[in-house]
Amino acid sequence: MTDSSGKQREAAGTDAATQVFVDHRELLFSVVYNILGSVTDTEDVLQETWLSWAGRGRGTPQAPVEKPRAYLVRIAVNHALARRAVEDRRRERYAGPWLPEPLVGTDSPVENADAGEQALRGEAVSMALLVVLETLSPLERAVFVLNEVFGYAHTEIAEILDRSASAVRQLAHRARSHVRSRRPRFEAHPRVRRQVTERFVAAALGGDLATLLEILAPDVTLWTDGGGGKARSVPRPVRGRDKVARTLAGFASRPPADLDVRYLSVNGESAAVVYADEAPYAVMVMDLAAEGDGVSDVYIVTDPEKLAGVGRGEDAARTVTEQGATGKGSGPA
């Protein structure tokens, strides 16, 4: 009888732990993704977080956690920082630019999206900002994400990272100054972004050199990530209007068969997802200059592994919901 009662209490405790984790999983996914820039690594970190949470006090009775949200974020952030240390060593051997794994949502224009998508976009920073965050130290990035994206106070972050509040303030100041120097605050209207995106993609895929030269800003930079030196990428960023336009025109001269372009939300902004023979071929994201009518940066992800979760239309919407809200493969079964 005693054994049966013990098993019932253990089962009830497991159910309660599962529900708490599920309730916070969307937040955990967003925090970790913005620290790592990889959906695959985020899923792995959420799995580790779940195991740490579910195994807490196993075999040893412990007092209930008073603030489960803060406790789970702390576990997840520390697992993410540990994963980041491993990934940084791996990326040192990565040939060519490394771009974040895109979060692909439903059809643009983004301004017409529903409330669920609006919430997801509010938690997933843009591709351009993620690229800038790659230049921060792991601790600076974690502090920036928690403070600037999720609104955590310096004292709360200090508890999460086991640092003093003064040290966190210094990290936050350095990170904020670095990000603002690399990416001044500017948000183009969604309709303008969509129009520029469509015009750019038509010119890029059509090899229209004259239109590309008109659209691109003088100091534009092209970043391509084909998976670490694989065929569909350029080994280093290409800078300058003329070089970028000619590089893009060169890509257009050898297109794959049956190209199809869908304009979808990528990390909360209007972008193009290109399919070839029904399979995702590239994600193209444009960042606009401060004037709002010229392309300052072009990010093209062609790495098949980073495109593995990209669907078509409704499938893409379902993919981003699974990634963001349920942490696909990351939580309790």
Side-chain angles (χ1 to χ4, degrees):
M1 189 70 175
T2 302
D3 183 57
S4 176
S5 299
K7 289 182 178 179
Q8 289 177 351
R9 285 195 299 272
E10 183 178 347
T14 300
D15 290 343
T18 299
Q19 188 57 53
V20 169
F21 185 86
V22 169
D23 289 344
H24 294 88
R25 186 160 53 186
E26 181 174 354
L27 168 67
L28 299 177
F29 179 93
S30 298
V31 169
V32 174
Y33 171 78
N34 286 326
I35 292 175
L36 298 178
S38 165
V39 174
T40 303
D41 290 334
T42 296
E43 291 171 349
D44 289 343
V45 166
L46 288 192
Q47 179 67 25
E48 294 167 358
T49 302
W50 160 247
L51 292 174
S52 297
W53 170 252
R56 177 184 172 274
R58 182 167 291 166
T60 305
Q62 292 192 9
V65 176
E66 292 184 5
K67 299 178 180 179
R69 181 177 185 270
Y71 189 90
L72 283 167
V73 169
R74 178 172 183 168
I75 295 173
V77 168
N78 281 283
H79 278 308
L81 289 173
R83 174 60 60 97
R84 182 72 207 213
V86 174
E87 289 304 310
D88 282 347
R89 290 193 292 273
R90 186 180 303 170
R91 288 177 197 174
E92 289 175 359
R93 302 187 297 273
Y94 198 88
W98 185 95
L99 292 177
E101 187 173 349
L103 278 177
V104 180
T106 56
D107 291 30
S108 296
V110 176
E111 59 188 326
N112 294 331
D114 62 24
E117 279 192 89
Q118 294 284 2
L120 176 62
R121 283 195 305 279
E123 296 166 355
V125 301
S126 69
M127 178 74 73
L129 181 52
L130 285 175
V131 170
V132 174
L133 294 185
E134 285 294 316
T135 63
L136 299 177
S137 73
L139 272 179
E140 288 173 343
R141 181 167 179 165
V143 169
F144 183 91
V145 167
L146 290 169
N147 182 236
E148 295 285 324
V149 181
F150 294 93
Y152 279 82
H154 293 150
T155 51
E156 295 176 296
I157 300 172
E159 292 181 5
I160 291 170
L161 298 178
D162 196 21
R163 296 288 195 282
S164 68
S166 61
V168 168
R169 278 191 290 271
Q170 290 177 353
L171 287 165
H173 176 73
R174 285 203 305 268
R176 190 164 50 247
S177 298
H178 181 82
V179 169
R180 288 179 179 172
S181 68
R182 295 284 300 274
R183 181 170 170 75
R185 290 183 180 273
F186 167 72
E187 293 296 333
H189 190 281
R191 189 179 297 109
V192 173
R193 182 176 293 278
R194 171 66 182 262
Q195 291 170 347
V196 174
T197 297
E198 289 186 2
R199 190 168 177 232
F200 169 84
V201 171
L205 295 182
D208 185 346
L209 190 60
T211 301
L212 285 172
L213 290 171
E214 181 182 339
I215 295 174
L216 298 174
D219 56 351
V220 63
T221 301
L222 168 66
W223 313 72
T224 61
D225 181 351
K230 296 176 184 177
R232 292 188 290 178
S233 64
V234 178
R236 60 183 59 85
V238 179
R239 306 183 191 278
R241 175 189 286 154
D242 186 68
K243 289 182 179 179
V244 169
R246 295 186 184 282
T247 300
L248 292 169
F251 288 160
S253 67
R254 47 185 189 279
D258 300 320
L259 278 185
D260 180 30
V261 181
R262 296 295 303 271
Y263 293 97
L264 303 171
S265 168
V266 174
N267 288 70
E269 296 182 331
S270 182
V273 181
V274 183
Y275 299 87
D277 195 22
E278 301 297 319
Y281 176 78
V283 168
M284 304 174 68
V285 182
M286 278 57 68
D287 196 27
L288 303 190
E291 294 76 17
D293 57 358
V295 175
S296 61
D297 293 273
V298 181
Y299 307 97
I300 302 179
V301 179
T302 58
D303 180 0
E305 293 182 5
K306 292 181 180 177
L307 301 180
V310 177
R312 292 179 61 85
E314 292 80 6
D315 290 339
R318 185 161 53 252
T319 296
V320 78
T321 301
E322 290 171 352
Q323 291 171 341
T326 65
K328 184 175 60 177
S330 309

